[in-house]
């Protein structure tokens, strides 16, 4: 989460905030923005100097699953997740008081059903002639889709990194197995006695299984279409010699 103070926000946010800033306090008793609060598809609210909601747009209340009356009169921070609430109190609100405005602050609001709603909040503070904070107008945008796409991108990048790692390990392991397999085949050609031959055959079988494993790892690293299946690890495949006899 971060608060970014910019010279300009997005066009619609700037238009609303600048229009609000130009109004006199007395004019806002019959606020020209009231139609936006009542019927426009815009998520926004206004808070007083105590952080209490004094206006909430119908669209914003609907998005959270509340009525306007259920929100007005409550602290805006009470609708935030604990992490967002702490960030608002410790970072974002002091920034608004200091700079007069913030753009694209990431928050998680808590809907009435308990679900989190990720948003981007831009706000403009108003001060009286003595420099005291009077009220703040906030315009909010749903950030759910952007967060979802970002999460999918991170997951894709993570899987690509794992695939590259698996591919590298498989190549190295395959090289080792090739050396082991070659030497075992040489020993099998001159076994010496039956006991030694049996050990060599077991080693060859294990090495061939290892080679199959590396092929599967390489397929995963190349994003091949794999079909999972159950395999009994106690099963011993026929030795190369048995296959030759058959």
């Amino acid at each position: 989460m971060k608060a970014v103070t910019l010279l300009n926000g997005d066009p619609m946010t700037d238009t609303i905030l600048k229009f609000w800033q130009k109004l006199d306090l007395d004019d806002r008793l019959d606020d020209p923005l009231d139609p936006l609060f009542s019927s426009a598809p815009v998520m926004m609210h206004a808070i007083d100097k105590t952080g209490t909601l004094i206006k909430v747009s119908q669209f914003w209340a609907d998005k959270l699953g509340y009525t306007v009356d259920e929100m007005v009169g409550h602290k805006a921070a009470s609708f935030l997740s604990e992490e967002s609430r702490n960030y608002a109190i410790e970072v974002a609100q002091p920034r608004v008081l200091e700079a007069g405005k913030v753009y694209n602050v990431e928050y998680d609001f808590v809907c009435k059903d308990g679900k989190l709603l990720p948003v981007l909040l831009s706000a403009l503070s108003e001060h009286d002639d003595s420099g005291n904070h009077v009220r703040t107008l906030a315009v909010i945008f749903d950030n759910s889709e952007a967060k979802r796409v970002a999460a999918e991108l991170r997951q894709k990048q993570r899987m690509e990194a794992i695939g590259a790692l698996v591919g590298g390990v498989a190549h190295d392991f395959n090289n080792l197995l090739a050396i082991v397999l070659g030497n075992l085949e040489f020993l099998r050609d001159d076994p010496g006695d039956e006991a030694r031959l049996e050990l060599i055959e077991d080693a060859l079988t294990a090495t061939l299984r290892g080679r199959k494993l590396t092929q599967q790892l390489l397929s995963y690293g190349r994003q091949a279409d794999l079909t999972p299946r159950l395999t009994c690890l106690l099963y011993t495949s026929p030795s190369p010699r048995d296959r030759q006899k058959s």
Side-chain angles (χ1 to χ4, degrees), residues 18 22 49 57 65 75 87 154-155 180 183 208 221 236 240:
K18 288 177 180 178
K22 290 177 181 179
K49 60 183 180 183
S57 69
K75 299 288 187 182
Y87 182 80
R154 287 194 298 270
Q155 178 66 12
V180 174
N183 282 283
L208 291 171
T236 302

Side-chain angles (χ1 to χ4, degrees), residues 120 142-152 154:
L120 292 177
D142 188 342
N143 199 33
S144 302
E145 183 65 15
K147 298 269 281 191
R148 184 189 65 79
V149 172
E152 288 182 354
R154 287 194 298 270

Side-chain angles (χ1 to χ4, degrees), residues 47-64:
I47 58 174
D48 63 17
K49 60 183 180 183
T50 69
T52 301
L53 290 165
I54 55 176
K55 284 191 176 183
V56 176
S57 69
Q58 184 64 55
F59 190 76
W60 181 214
D62 291 342
K63 190 75 172 179
L64 293 176

